Amino acid sequence: MIKTQYKKILLILTLITCLWNALEAQNNDAMEEKIENILSQLTLEEKVAMCHAQSKFSTKGVERLGIPEIWMSDGPHGVRAEISWDDWAYAGWTNDSITAFPALTCLASTFNPELAKDYGFSVGEEARYRKKDILLGPGVNIYRTPMNGRNFEYMGEDPFLASKLVVPYVQGVQKNGVAACVKHFALNNQEHWRDKINVEVSDRALHEIYLPAFKAAVIEGKTWAIMGAYNKFRGTYTTHNPILHKILKTDWAFDGVVVSDWSSAHSTKEAALYGLDMEMGTGTDGLGTTTANHYSNYYLATPFLKMLKSGEIEESLVDDKVRRILRLMFRTTMSSNRPFGRMNNVEHHEVARKVATEGIVLLKNDNNFFPIQDKKGLTIAVIGENATRTMTAGGGSSELKPKFEISPLEGIKARYKNAKIIHTMGFASGRSVYDEVLPSPYDADSLKVEAIEIAKKADIVLFVGGLSKSHLQDCEGDDRQQYHLPFGQEELLKEIKAVNKNLGMILLTGNAVEMSWLDKVDGLIQGWYLGSMAGHALADVISGDVNPSGKLPFSFPAKLEDNAAHSFGALSYPGDGTNQYYKEDILVGYRWHDTKKIKPLFAFGEGMSYTAFKLSDIQTDKNNYSQNESISVSCTVSNTGEKTGSEVVQVYIGKSKSKVKRALKELKGFQKLEVNSRENVTANIEIPVSALAYYDDTTSNWIIEKGTYTIYVGNASNNISKSLKITIK
């Protein structure tokens, strides 16, 4: 009886899916017919004008045909303040303050695809309210080195994790009639020399490590836009590289628009031939100090028009670009059922806080230092500039102008009504202006003396330190120059520990850092850049109102040389100024640490809780699989502690005795589950056998090896509860 009802339900769902697909196909056919009709009415000059900027963040429409402009905005963590028409100065609007969402490293730490969809939908609503047609994000470049100044904008070191989070993010944004523009395609894994460095990497590493998240965004997420990168790949700039046409538009059948990063186009003919559709930001101004950089002089402007008129470039190339641009318009600014959007509403603040609390990672908790109870007579010293410094300003193009930003100190004071909270800066960084770091106006010795005196008076010290979004830290434009904490924080931590044994660290960074001071702190929370609700989210976790469940989306090497890219010397990172060789190949992040048996300081997927979990009854549905099947992995997750909490079951798979070089294991599935105290839940994770394929350089194809594979199930890459053997026929 139950089986019969189940079959009926499946039949109904299949029919609904078929009807939906038929309706979607009909709508697409109608849209394509309209596009062809418009295309036939456009002059060559009008077509070319649609392919390049008319201002810093917009492109032209065609007034006589009622075709609107396209407006776009940074960035992945919130909609950037309005920029002037012709230069990078802010326009000075008073109504462009938004909700700042946590940085994407934090989102990645949640291991929660549903939350990624809420995040994308919320930021998409704000972009729609601000009348934007393209949101320039999310970023899915792989975390290759902890020195990359822009890592905080990306989703970590693992292509599978990034793929699983980028798809719902894109879908969430685009529900609002706003295009997600996934960036930066491809291999933009450092900021130093980003505008000229030529990356040499194997086809296998390209396809297995650096492209999967883009592929998922295109094929599963159906993103409407992709942004090119600054760097070169095999001698050609990636913004107009043959991989755009071959991989993106042919192999993946991407039907959207390729947008240049600002000033990343360098050639008219290559841009025309190899897939750039919309050129943005070339030069420095439009109608400012010189006409040399006027929009009409862009590569896809007058030079493009001349080549088309001379016959050097076929008109079919510009037609393809305009079709894509019109398709984008019908999905966004010319859509008939586009919602209105919302901004700074309670629901967005709740999503920002939820992402922040789920992304915060507890890394050390000796003697249950956290959570800290709020009680009368308790004095908590909050020490550190990062307790009060804004973390939404700075960082480059992703900087934000939030309606409000709750600092860590404000959040702690709001939560701790009974305890006495005292604060001092302890250290002070300089402020950056573009690519220059200004010296701090404060005397470092005086700040240190005051911090030590306050620490003596407190029962507990919370040191809020880390990095900031200033030049040469977590910031676009260049990379970090040191792996350790800057501005004397390490020495200050040691001196505070000498006068107060109860010391906890709140680390605000978008990157891994060296931790020679780790033995000096009893508790360590990785806090990221958490946006508008930062202080409340941190207080939620510090107090125990929220049980931490974040997991690291990248490895923390104990020393910089333990990182794969750095282990091969300067030619691997940062290169010689001209070329760079990814000598670690596919062994990025935990793949390197596991395979080479180099113990990280903290491992990918690692993160503690205020309760305790146990994984048991770990099994697969069978032992032998054919190549068109899926592997079903199940286990019981038991909460053996006293608090309700969430655990992330992680499934890695490896193959020994392979005919090709392989990592010891690779993440192939995960599931986040909330479990009540003293209760059990069952995790079920499905992994297609096709996901075990490697990319064969010799045939340019994906190959599934037959033979024995090992399945590793645990709650971190370095904490495996059980290993299982399976066979692929």
Side-chain angles (χ1 to χ4, degrees):
M1 181 65 179
I2 294 174
K3 283 186 177 180
T4 303
Q5 289 177 334
Y6 181 65
K7 286 181 179 178
K8 285 181 179 178
I9 292 169
L10 280 179
L11 180 60
I12 292 168
L13 289 173
T14 302
L15 287 170
I16 291 171
T17 302
C18 290
L19 287 170
W20 176 260
N21 289 339
L23 181 63
E24 189 175 34
Q26 188 177 12
N27 289 338
N28 285 338
D29 289 344
M31 180 178 70
E32 295 299 325
E33 187 177 338
K34 289 177 183 177
I35 288 170
E36 293 304 318
N37 181 269
I38 294 170
L39 193 64
S40 68
Q41 299 179 59
L42 293 171
T43 66
L44 189 59
E45 286 79 5
E46 287 168 339
K47 291 176 186 178
V48 169
M50 294 173 68
C51 295
H52 65 85
Q54 66 165 353
S55 76
K56 277 300 177 194
F57 281 90
S58 71
T59 60
K60 279 187 178 180
V62 182
E63 290 181 12
R64 70 179 185 87
L65 296 179
I67 298 172
E69 302 165 323
I70 292 176
W71 283 87
M72 54 196 80
S73 177
D74 294 312
H77 312 133
V79 188
R80 193 179 184 183
E82 208 64 28
I83 301 294
S84 297
W85 186 271
D86 283 326
D87 60 43
W88 287 109
Y90 284 108
W93 288 16
T94 58
N95 62 346
D96 57 349
S97 297
I98 46 76
T99 304
F101 294 87
L104 291 187
T105 44
C106 179
L107 177 63
S109 299
T110 70
F111 276 66
N112 189 337
E114 282 300 314
L115 208 47
K117 192 166 190 175
D118 292 342
Y119 186 125
F121 181 75
S122 299
V123 75
E125 272 198 317
E126 300 220 348
R128 176 66 191 102
Y129 186 85
R130 286 272 304 279
K131 296 180 171 55
K132 304 303 178 187
D133 306 307
I134 302 176
L135 181 74
L136 302 174
V140 292
N141 293 107
I142 293 297
Y143 186 114
R144 179 177 179 252
T145 161
M147 305 307 279
N148 181 9
R150 214 166 178 181
N151 276 334
F152 71 95
E153 289 189 54
Y154 304 140
M155 296 187 184
E157 70 187 23
D158 184 72
F160 180 80
L161 175 62
S163 297
K164 288 301 176 185
L165 294 176
V166 70
V167 170
Y169 181 111
V170 167
Q171 292 171 336
V173 169
Q174 295 185 168
K175 273 190 174 183
N176 296 283
V178 174
C181 185
V182 182
K183 59 187 186 183
H184 307 87
F185 193 88
L187 300 164
N188 191 175
N189 305 116
Q190 68 188 58
E191 290 297 287
H192 192 57
W193 293 328
R194 69 176 184 178
D195 58 340
K196 64 180 180 180
I197 198 71
N198 175 54
V199 175
E200 296 291 339
V201 63
S202 73
D203 279 347
R204 188 167 168 216
L206 178 70
H207 285 272
E208 291 188 20
I209 303 295
Y210 298 103
L211 291 185
F214 289 103
K215 185 177 182 180
V218 170
I219 294 176
E220 298 174 53
K222 301 189 185 303
T223 188
W224 297 336
I226 292 282
M227 182 186 287
Y230 283 114
N231 53 284
K232 295 178 182 179
F233 169 56
R234 294 180 185 165
T236 303
Y237 284 102
T238 48
T239 288
H240 36 69
N241 192 292
I243 61 173
L244 287 171
H245 183 265
K246 171 64 175 72
I247 295 174
L248 183 63
K249 292 185 172 181
T250 302
D251 295 350
W252 300 350
F254 174 62
D255 69 354
V257 170
V258 175
V259 182
S260 74
D261 205 339
W262 272 235
S263 298
S264 70
H266 298 271
S267 162
T268 296
K269 194 162 188 177
E270 288 180 347
L273 292 173
Y274 298 139
L276 177 61
D277 302 309
M278 196 177 286
E279 181 187 358
M280 302 299 298
T282 301
T284 56
D285 58 14
L287 299 172
T289 57
T290 174
T291 58
N293 294 318
H294 187 262
Y295 308 106
S296 63
N297 293 330
Y298 278 23
Y299 295 102
L300 288 183
T302 303
F304 187 29
L305 182 62
K306 287 179 180 178
M307 285 188 174
L308 286 163
K309 285 184 172 180
S310 70
E312 188 176 350
I313 294 175
E314 295 180 6
E315 191 169 350
S316 60
L317 287 169
V318 73
D319 285 349
D320 178 68
K321 298 178 195 305
V322 174
R323 280 190 189 95
R324 292 171 180 275
I325 293 167
L326 288 170
R327 194 175 293 128
L328 177 84
M329 287 178 171
F330 275 110
R331 289 164 169 169
T332 59
T333 188
M334 293 198 295
S335 172
S336 59
N337 59 350
R338 204 176 183 199
F340 294 115
R342 296 187 297 169
M343 191 165 72
N344 285 317
N345 49 309
V346 173
E347 292 85 353
H348 292 175
H349 301 157
E350 289 175 348
V351 168
R353 188 167 181 169
K354 176 72 170 170
V355 172
T357 54
E358 280 206 30
I360 290 169
V361 186
L362 178 63
L363 291 175
K364 183 178 181 180
N365 202 22
D366 289 356
N367 304 313
N368 295 317
F369 181 87
F370 295 113
I372 299 171
Q373 303 302 313
D374 179 22
K375 54 189 178 183
K376 289 184 178 180
L378 180 70
T379 299
I380 302 174
V382 179
I383 297 176
E385 183 192 38
N386 284 8
T388 55
R389 179 177 182 141
T390 175
M391 292 297 183
T392 55
S397 60
S398 69
E399 77 168 2
L400 297 170
K401 179 185 174 182
K403 190 171 184 179
F404 64 87
E405 179 181 354
I406 307 298
S407 71
L409 181 62
E410 288 175 315
I412 291 168
K413 283 184 172 180
R415 173 59 181 82
Y416 286 83
K417 301 293 188 183
N418 297 309
K420 181 181 179 182
I421 309 297
I422 51 178
H423 170 257
T424 187
M425 288 179 68
F427 68 93
S429 61
R431 295 295 189 267
S432 63
V433 180
Y434 299 105
D435 58 353
E436 181 184 2
V437 180
L438 302 178
S440 170
Y442 301 96
D443 180 73
D445 290 336
S446 298
L447 293 177
K448 183 190 291 187
V449 168
E450 184 177 354
I452 292 168
E453 287 304 310
I454 284 182
K456 289 177 181 177
K457 301 172 185 176
D459 299 301
I460 293 173
V461 176
L462 287 179
F463 190 98
V464 187
L467 304 175
S468 71
K469 292 165 73 176
S470 293
H471 182 57
L472 302 180
Q473 295 190 58
D474 285 325
C475 186
E476 181 181 0
D478 211 334
D479 288 346
R480 298 165 62 195
Q481 295 183 337
Q482 57 189 22
Y483 187 40
H484 58 266
L485 289 179
F487 314 117
Q489 293 179 70
E490 296 178 351
E491 183 61 33
L492 180 56
L493 278 165
K494 293 171 185 175
E495 293 192 33
I496 290 173
K497 184 66 173 182
V499 300
N500 193 318
K501 63 180 182 180
N502 297 316
L503 174 59
M505 176 68 157
I506 312 299
L507 187 66
L508 304 184
T509 72
N511 259 310
V513 297
E514 190 175 65
M515 297 188 189
S516 61
W517 44 266
L518 185 60
D519 64 336
K520 300 294 187 293
V521 301
D522 301 301
L524 171 60
I525 285 175
Q526 174 63 45
W528 315 116
Y529 302 123
L530 300 177
S532 290
M533 303 295 282
H536 289 324
L538 284 167
D540 287 342
V541 173
I542 292 168
S543 66
D545 292 345
V546 172
N547 196 344
S549 62
K551 303 286 185 176
L552 289 180
F554 51 80
S555 310
F556 278 55
K559 57 183 186 296
L560 193 56
E561 297 75 27
D562 290 348
N563 169 269
H566 291 267
S567 69
F568 289 99
L571 266 182
S572 179
Y573 174 86
D576 61 7
T578 302
N579 295 307
Q580 177 183 32
Y581 301 87
Y582 284 19
K583 294 186 176 184
E584 74 279 12
D585 201 45
I586 62 168
L587 298 181
V588 176
Y590 69 89
R591 290 167 167 79
W592 172 262
H593 287 281
D594 285 353
T595 307
K596 299 297 183 179
K597 295 181 172 56
I598 300 171
K599 186 179 179 181
L601 181 65
F602 293 110
F604 172 86
E606 188 172 350
M608 301 171 72
S609 171
Y610 294 151
T611 191
F613 295 100
K614 181 183 177 183
L615 306 186
S616 60
D617 303 320
I618 299 170
Q619 57 188 330
T620 55
D621 55 332
K622 56 183 183 177
N623 296 324
N624 296 284
Y625 298 89
S626 61
Q627 296 193 8
N628 60 354
E629 292 184 294
S630 287
I631 304 160
S632 181
V633 180
S634 63
C635 74
T636 299
V637 183
S638 304
N639 183 342
T640 60
E642 304 302 323
K643 282 178 169 282
T644 295
S646 295
E647 180 62 292
V648 181
V649 178
Q650 301 166 38
V651 179
Y652 300 81
I653 300 182
K655 188 180 192 318
S656 58
K657 299 180 181 177
S658 173
K659 63 182 180 182
V660 294
K661 178 179 68 176
R662 295 231 188 196
L664 177 70
K665 62 181 188 290
E666 299 177 312
L667 184 71
K668 295 297 180 182
F670 62 86
Q671 186 177 8
K672 190 168 194 174
L673 297 162
E674 184 176 76
V675 192
N676 292 329
S677 172
R678 306 297 177 182
E679 292 187 3
N680 306 323
V681 297
T682 301
N684 292 289
I685 298 170
E686 296 287 324
I687 301 167
V689 170
S690 59
L692 308 185
Y694 70 89
Y695 189 83
D696 184 14
D697 297 66
T698 61
T699 62
S700 300
N701 204 359
W702 291 91
I703 304 294
I704 305 172
E705 276 189 283
K706 63 181 180 180
T708 302
Y709 288 75
T710 304
I711 296 177
Y712 305 85
V713 182
N715 66 353
S717 62
N718 66 340
N719 191 33
I720 301 303
S721 299
K722 188 175 182 179
S723 300
L724 303 166
K725 300 288 186 182
I726 61 164
T727 301
I728 306 299
K729 301 173 196 174

